[in-house]
Amino acid sequence: MFEKLQRFLSGLSGAGRQTFDAGDPRVAVMALCIQVMESDGRILDAERTALRDSFQKLYGLDDARFKRLVDTGTAAASEAIDFFQFTSELKRQLTDEQKVDLVGLLWEIVYADGDRSELEDHAIWRIADLLGVSGRERIMKRQEVAGRKGDGARATEDQGD
């Protein structure tokens, strides 16, 4: 799974840049991650850790560069009124497989704390829908991540689907 995510994230333009601007697709990915993390009204340390570990592993970001990306993504997420401004840009830039991998990344962050809420479910459903990822693919990614995280029983629920 992480190999696919690594290919996905490293394939985005700007992978070697030291700074992050609004046109950098990594900012859109970070903003979506932050919006999903915030969707249930709380951001837990486990979610922050999963976000940091994923981005540092996939991009090779040091702590300072990761913090700059988080700051830029947080600012973009706070200015956005919905997911569309991020998904519309990513939809044009990503392959179908990369879109599904992005949904998988979002599930990784959601399940980092061992739980998922209806609000997180809904956020990912909307993002997946805007990206053109089918309900079947979204659910399969959720089940895959939940199974790895030891939440197989809850993974088969179709709550919100």
Side-chain angles (χ1 to χ4, degrees):
M1 166 91 179
F2 279 113
E3 295 81 29
K4 283 184 179 180
L5 288 173
Q6 188 169 15
R7 282 194 318 268
F8 158 66
L9 291 174
S10 65
L12 296 176
S13 65
R17 280 189 263 168
Q18 295 292 323
T19 59
F20 307 100
D21 57 43
D24 189 330
R26 294 174 296 175
V27 173
V29 172
M30 178 61 76
L32 290 173
C33 290
I34 290 167
Q35 287 177 317
V36 168
M37 288 169 50
E38 292 176 338
S39 65
D40 65 356
R42 63 189 208 279
I43 297 178
L44 302 176
D45 287 340
E47 293 170 324
R48 284 186 183 102
T49 299
L51 180 70
R52 184 192 68 234
D53 291 350
S54 293
F55 272 76
Q56 286 181 333
K57 179 181 179 182
L58 299 170
Y59 281 130
L61 299 175
D62 60 24
D63 287 337
R65 288 182 65 216
F66 174 73
K67 183 177 179 345
R68 283 194 302 272
L69 180 57
V70 168
D71 291 346
T72 306
T74 300
S78 68
E79 293 172 9
I81 58 171
D82 59 16
F83 304 125
F84 183 75
Q85 79 180 64
F86 307 118
T87 58
S88 63
E89 186 62 33
L90 292 171
K91 187 174 182 176
R92 286 190 295 273
Q93 296 180 16
L94 305 179
T95 67
D96 290 342
E97 182 180 356
Q98 289 171 329
K99 293 171 194 172
V100 173
D101 288 344
L102 173 55
V103 170
L105 173 64
L106 297 173
W107 284 125
E108 290 285 341
I109 293 167
V110 164
Y111 276 106
D113 63 358
D115 193 23
R116 82 170 204 265
S117 75
E118 242 180 78
L119 296 169
E120 291 168 325
D121 238 11
H122 181 75
I124 294 178
W125 168 73
R126 287 295 304 138
I127 291 166
D129 187 52
L130 289 167
L131 288 171
V133 173
S134 73
R136 180 178 177 277
E137 290 169 314
R138 175 178 45 85
I139 292 168
M140 287 176 62
K141 278 296 183 185
R142 182 186 72 208
Q143 291 172 340
E144 177 185 314
V145 171
R148 269 199 325 279
K149 301 291 184 175
D151 194 19
R154 292 196 55 204
T156 60
E157 294 176 7
D158 285 336
Q159 181 182 50
D161 297 319

